[in-house]
Amino acid sequence: MGRIYGLMGAMDEEIELLLSAMTEASETIKTGITYTTGVIHGQQVVVCKSGVGKVNAAVTTQILIDRFGVEQIIFTGVAGAVHPDLNIGDIVISSTCMQHDMDVTALGYAKGVIPYQDTSEFAADPELVRLAEQACKSFDDRYIVGKVLSGDQFIASRELVALLRQEMNGACTEMEGAAVAQTAHMNNVPFIVLRSMSDKADGSAHVNYAEFTVEASHRSHRIVEYMLKHLG
């Protein structure tokens, strides 16, 4: 049997296309999360909806590793753009992931740094990044490889977006990626986070988000499908 891939999203819109493409599907419920095992494009996969936020994402990632033995993790979904060149529908492929709401600056740490740890910025797997870039190029999708910032906040403030760009060099902001990344890193499991921009996180987020979430989810799903078809 080949490698087992964990495919994650935070919301129904982000995983329903994966579930519809699956054969030999079988469901397991653990900690209230439904994990669906099966096959997509010849690959053994486990698909799940983590729910929103870093705790949900971390718990779900650990279960994927411990209970289902996944060997690589792909997290797909939508995000708010932080990089000024990004527009709605553009893709961010994670180079690294970091928590923007980890803040121990009062004790002299830089923003995002987790005290007493070797690293607070978690690097995506280079081969998965290469494959995701290849997918974007094949679809002629606009994309950048950059830092995904995560926090338990929905960012809709121009001022905060400017700070996240200035202080942490973020490409986009969302609510799960860094938790998936840290958990994967702690277990020595390769990962990647793929985000399609549903809004510009510039004060218009509440207007754009619902309208573009479905479209953005389709874009990121297309990349995951390409990757599954071309993984070794």
Side-chain angles (χ1 to χ4, degrees):
M1 183 181 291
R3 190 175 283 156
I4 304 173
Y5 298 94
L7 308 179
M8 302 175 64
M11 301 182 297
D12 287 326
E13 296 92 337
E14 296 168 340
I15 66 162
E16 62 186 9
L17 293 171
L18 292 169
L19 293 174
S20 68
M22 184 184 289
T23 60
E24 303 174 34
S26 174
E27 291 185 353
T28 302
I29 298 175
K30 192 156 181 70
T31 62
I33 305 295
T34 300
Y35 298 82
T36 306
T37 60
V39 177
I40 302 177
H41 299 303
Q43 305 288 1
Q44 296 286 329
V45 300
V46 186
V47 176
C48 64
K49 179 182 75 173
S50 66
V52 175
K54 293 187 299 180
V55 173
N56 280 329
V59 169
T60 304
T61 303
Q62 192 64 54
I63 290 171
L64 279 172
I65 295 166
D66 286 345
R67 172 68 175 78
F68 297 96
V70 303
E71 296 158 88
Q72 294 195 353
I73 292 173
I74 302 172
F75 194 104
T76 177
V78 300
V82 172
H83 193 293
D85 292 343
L86 287 169
N87 291 304
I88 290 169
D90 291 353
I91 302 293
V92 172
I93 300 168
S94 62
S95 54
T96 61
C97 297
M98 197 171 193
Q99 298 178 62
H100 67 74
D101 59 352
M102 175 61 66
D103 189 345
V104 197
T105 53
L107 298 182
Y109 294 90
K111 190 169 184 183
V113 170
I114 306 168
Y116 317 123
Q117 287 199 180
D118 290 340
T119 185
S120 303
E121 187 172 343
F122 304 99
D125 179 70
E127 178 58 22
L128 291 176
V129 170
R130 184 197 66 78
L131 198 54
E133 285 196 85
Q134 189 176 302
C136 288
K137 289 172 183 174
S138 75
F139 296 125
D140 201 27
D141 282 338
R142 282 173 46 92
Y143 78 93
I144 64 171
V145 179
K147 185 191 294 185
V148 174
L149 297 179
S150 307
D152 288 324
Q153 304 166 9
F154 186 89
I155 304 298
S157 156
R158 292 178 187 273
E159 292 75 23
L160 190 47
V161 167
L163 276 175
L164 292 177
R165 182 65 184 163
Q166 180 182 335
E167 295 181 355
M168 302 187 73
N169 195 34
C172 67
T173 178
E174 37 88 297
M175 301 177 72
E176 297 85 25
V180 173
Q182 183 174 346
T183 307
H185 172 82
M186 292 168 73
N187 288 275
N188 199 30
V189 170
F191 78 91
I192 190 171
V193 175
L194 304 171
R195 293 290 190 175
S196 180
M197 301 303 101
S198 61
D199 62 82
K200 297 198 71 167
D202 61 357
S204 62
H206 63 290
V207 176
N208 294 334
Y209 184 76
E211 182 179 350
F212 290 104
T213 291
V214 173
E215 177 191 337
S217 295
H218 276 73
R219 285 177 181 267
S220 51
H221 167 77
R222 189 169 61 174
I223 295 167
V224 175
E225 274 207 314
Y226 180 98
M227 293 176 71
L228 289 173
K229 290 176 182 176
H230 292 84
L231 284 163

